[in-house]
Amino acid sequence: MLISKVETYLLQIPFRDAFDAASGFDSQKTWNIMLVKVVTDDGVVGWGEPFGVYLCQATKAVIELYLAPQCIGRDPLDRQTLMHDLAYKIHNGGRNGPPVFALSGIEIALWDIAAKVKQMPLWSLLGPESRTRLPAYASLRPLGNGRDVARAAQSALQDGYSHIKLHEKTEETIAAAREAAGEDAAIMVDTNCVWSSRQALAMAGRFEAYDLLWLEEPVWPPEDYDALAEVRREAKIPIAAGENIGTVEGFRRLLNAGAVDYVQPSITKCGGIGALTRVIDMAGSMNIKTVPHSFYFGPGFLATIHVLASAKDDTLLERVYCELEADLYGGRLAVSDGVAAVPDGPGLGIDPDLDVIKSYRAA
């Protein structure tokens, strides 16, 4: 079995925030989904997802111009050798960003192929654990005002979520969420690397009253682990970070700095399934809980589900709390009442809907 083809797809699917669905909210906003398809000469197809968002075209170029030609004729089941060779080929382009996003997408597709060849679900190939359901939390998009944040929090609770993450930066929005959600719901806040360590400590002090489960990425730049560790030492809110790290070595430095209570690798950014499993093991050995970043809808989200289903310890699954105009998996990937069902078909368990790909393909 050899790789015969590597293809990329950029989809742009209109979306609306889930809490607006009942009122018929109409929006021209679109969600970018980047897919990579690896095809073998005997017809086995693996699907992966590199992170992209506004960098999708750059990630697409890395795959098409540099990585895809290196994959043709290679054994997809010799995953470690192939991924090492690909990473070495482009390491001068950087160890984060589009080069690593591209590697992550291909690696996920290779795991999909390996599990399909064995006719087993990916979680079974990864380890002995066999969870069939995973607790999920509602991860809200940035909304920017207390009224919408309150509405979204109430909607998420009605949909069965007991954990809600905000992407907000102001006390007004945090207070609105807590008031709307009540005392029993868990609330997390992701500020997306906005403050200096001094500013982060000041804001953490203002947020203390709202009983946050964690404060995520409060420090700019995200790789300033010493500053993040300072915030963790002095703040009274647990600290989470990790989605912007591109290598396992980067996570080792983060953990050795004592910078986090929760580590958050992103499977589409950090090298794929193998990298995520290594980070989980490393963090576990230091008694740090892993709660992966999974703010996406495609094979990366599915791959995260499989890794968590096979992991030693229970954790939460991040689920984007908005609705796409078209479901890439045709409703077969179920998340209801705050719980995600783990697919049990071969490989990732579900292949993307080719009609959706055709209808929403932008490049």
Side-chain angles (χ1 to χ4, degrees), residues 19-173:
F19 68 93
D20 274 318
S23 61
F25 177 73
D26 186 19
S27 171
Q28 297 302 310
K29 296 175 291 188
T30 58
W31 197 283
N32 288 342
I33 299 177
M34 186 77 184
L35 301 175
V36 57
K37 181 172 75 170
V38 178
V39 184
T40 70
D41 55 6
D42 57 358
V44 181
V45 175
W47 290 94
E49 181 179 9
F51 192 79
V53 191
Y54 50 86
L55 293 173
C56 280
Q57 292 288 5
T59 304
K60 183 177 172 68
V62 171
I63 294 174
E64 292 180 346
L65 298 178
Y66 300 102
L67 297 182
Q70 301 299 317
C71 291
I72 304 304
R74 298 293 297 268
D75 180 359
L77 302 182
D78 188 8
R79 185 177 53 255
Q80 289 188 337
T81 301
L82 176 53
M83 293 309 303
H84 172 274
D85 292 350
L86 294 178
Y88 189 80
K89 176 73 176 178
I90 62 168
H91 77 276
N92 282 331
R95 298 284 287 152
N96 208 331
V100 181
F101 301 168
L103 291 168
S104 302
I106 290 174
E107 199 260 9
I108 292 168
L110 295 179
W111 275 100
D112 190 25
I113 289 173
K116 284 175 175 173
V117 168
K118 291 183 177 292
Q119 283 295 300
M120 58 199 306
L122 179 57
W123 56 258
S124 183
L125 193 63
L126 289 170
E129 300 296 329
S130 57
R131 296 177 185 84
T132 59
R133 292 159 61 82
L134 296 172
Y137 70 84
S139 191
L140 278 55
R141 293 190 320 105
L143 298 171
N145 66 82
R147 181 182 67 89
D148 283 342
V149 167
R151 291 173 60 207
Q154 290 172 339
S155 176
L157 289 173
Q158 291 169 0
D159 285 342
Y161 292 98
S162 60
H163 292 67
I164 301 167
K165 185 163 83 178
L166 317 177
H167 288 81
E168 305 295 338
K169 304 175 179 66
T170 67
E171 185 178 3
E172 178 252 341
T173 52

